[in-house]
Short mmCIF file of all heavy atoms in Angstrom, two decimals:
data_model
loop_
_atom_site.label_atom_id
_atom_site.label_comp_id
_atom_site.label_asym_id
_atom_site.label_seq_id
_atom_site.Cartn_x
_atom_site.Cartn_y
_atom_site.Cartn_z
N LYS A 7 127.49 -2.57 295.46
CA LYS A 7 126.86 -3.15 294.28
C LYS A 7 127.01 -2.21 293.09
O LYS A 7 126.99 -1.01 293.24
CB LYS A 7 125.37 -3.41 294.54
CG LYS A 7 125.12 -4.48 295.60
CD LYS A 7 123.65 -4.73 295.79
CE LYS A 7 123.40 -5.81 296.84
NZ LYS A 7 121.96 -6.04 297.05
N GLY A 27 132.75 -20.57 280.05
CA GLY A 27 133.84 -21.15 280.79
C GLY A 27 135.20 -20.97 280.15
O GLY A 27 136.20 -21.45 280.68
N THR A 80 143.69 -8.65 294.59
CA THR A 80 144.08 -9.38 293.40
C THR A 80 143.13 -9.06 292.26
O THR A 80 141.96 -8.73 292.48
CB THR A 80 144.07 -10.90 293.65
OG1 THR A 80 142.72 -11.32 293.92
CG2 THR A 80 144.97 -11.25 294.84
N VAL A 98 133.38 3.91 267.26
CA VAL A 98 134.18 3.00 266.43
C VAL A 98 135.41 3.71 265.89
O VAL A 98 135.32 4.78 265.28
CB VAL A 98 133.34 2.44 265.27
CG1 VAL A 98 134.20 1.52 264.39
CG2 VAL A 98 132.14 1.68 265.81
N ALA A 102 137.01 -3.21 261.44
CA ALA A 102 137.58 -4.49 261.03
C ALA A 102 138.39 -5.13 262.16
O ALA A 102 138.39 -6.34 262.33
CB ALA A 102 138.44 -4.31 259.78
N GLY A 104 137.96 -4.28 265.40
CA GLY A 104 137.20 -4.25 266.64
C GLY A 104 137.71 -3.24 267.65
O GLY A 104 137.73 -3.51 268.85
N ALA A 126 141.91 5.79 301.77
CA ALA A 126 142.80 6.80 301.21
C ALA A 126 144.13 6.14 300.82
O ALA A 126 144.61 5.22 301.48
CB ALA A 126 143.04 7.92 302.21
N GLN A 142 134.35 -13.45 281.35
CA GLN A 142 134.76 -12.06 281.39
C GLN A 142 136.24 -11.97 281.05
O GLN A 142 136.98 -12.95 281.13
CB GLN A 142 134.51 -11.45 282.77
CG GLN A 142 135.37 -12.08 283.88
CD GLN A 142 135.22 -11.36 285.20
OE1 GLN A 142 135.04 -10.15 285.24
NE2 GLN A 142 135.29 -12.11 286.30
N ASP A 145 141.67 -7.12 283.25
CA ASP A 145 143.11 -6.88 283.18
C ASP A 145 143.52 -5.75 284.10
O ASP A 145 142.75 -4.81 284.34
CB ASP A 145 143.52 -6.49 281.75
CG ASP A 145 143.14 -7.53 280.72
OD1 ASP A 145 143.28 -8.73 281.02
OD2 ASP A 145 142.70 -7.14 279.62
N VAL A 161 141.29 31.59 306.84
CA VAL A 161 142.31 32.61 307.05
C VAL A 161 141.69 33.84 307.69
O VAL A 161 140.54 34.18 307.43
CB VAL A 161 143.00 33.00 305.72
CG1 VAL A 161 142.01 33.64 304.77
CG2 VAL A 161 144.21 33.91 305.95
N PRO A 165 145.66 43.49 312.36
CA PRO A 165 144.48 44.37 312.28
C PRO A 165 144.23 44.85 310.85
O PRO A 165 145.10 44.71 309.99
CB PRO A 165 144.86 45.53 313.19
CG PRO A 165 146.35 45.62 313.06
CD PRO A 165 146.82 44.19 312.95
N SER A 177 146.05 34.20 311.06
CA SER A 177 145.66 32.94 311.69
C SER A 177 144.77 32.15 310.72
O SER A 177 144.41 32.62 309.64
CB SER A 177 144.93 33.20 313.01
OG SER A 177 143.79 34.02 312.79
N ALA A 194 146.71 18.19 312.31
CA ALA A 194 147.87 18.70 313.03
C ALA A 194 149.18 18.31 312.34
O ALA A 194 149.25 17.34 311.59
CB ALA A 194 147.87 18.17 314.46
N SER A 249 144.79 22.17 299.34
CA SER A 249 143.72 23.16 299.50
C SER A 249 144.33 24.54 299.68
O SER A 249 145.48 24.69 300.08
CB SER A 249 142.81 22.83 300.69
OG SER A 249 143.56 22.78 301.90
N SER A 262 152.11 57.02 311.49
CA SER A 262 151.98 58.41 311.94
C SER A 262 153.33 58.98 312.31
O SER A 262 154.21 58.29 312.83
CB SER A 262 151.03 58.48 313.13
OG SER A 262 151.62 57.87 314.27
N ARG A 269 161.00 59.69 321.47
CA ARG A 269 160.49 60.40 322.62
C ARG A 269 161.61 61.19 323.27
O ARG A 269 162.69 60.65 323.52
CB ARG A 269 159.87 59.42 323.62
CG ARG A 269 159.29 60.09 324.87
CD ARG A 269 158.61 59.11 325.76
NE ARG A 269 157.45 58.52 325.11
CZ ARG A 269 156.68 57.61 325.66
NH1 ARG A 269 156.96 57.15 326.88
NH2 ARG A 269 155.63 57.13 325.01
#
Side-chain angles (χ1 to χ4, degrees):
K7 294 182 180 179
T80 65
V98 178
Q142 65 174 327
D145 302 320
V161 64
S177 58
S249 59
S262 69
R269 180 176 296 179

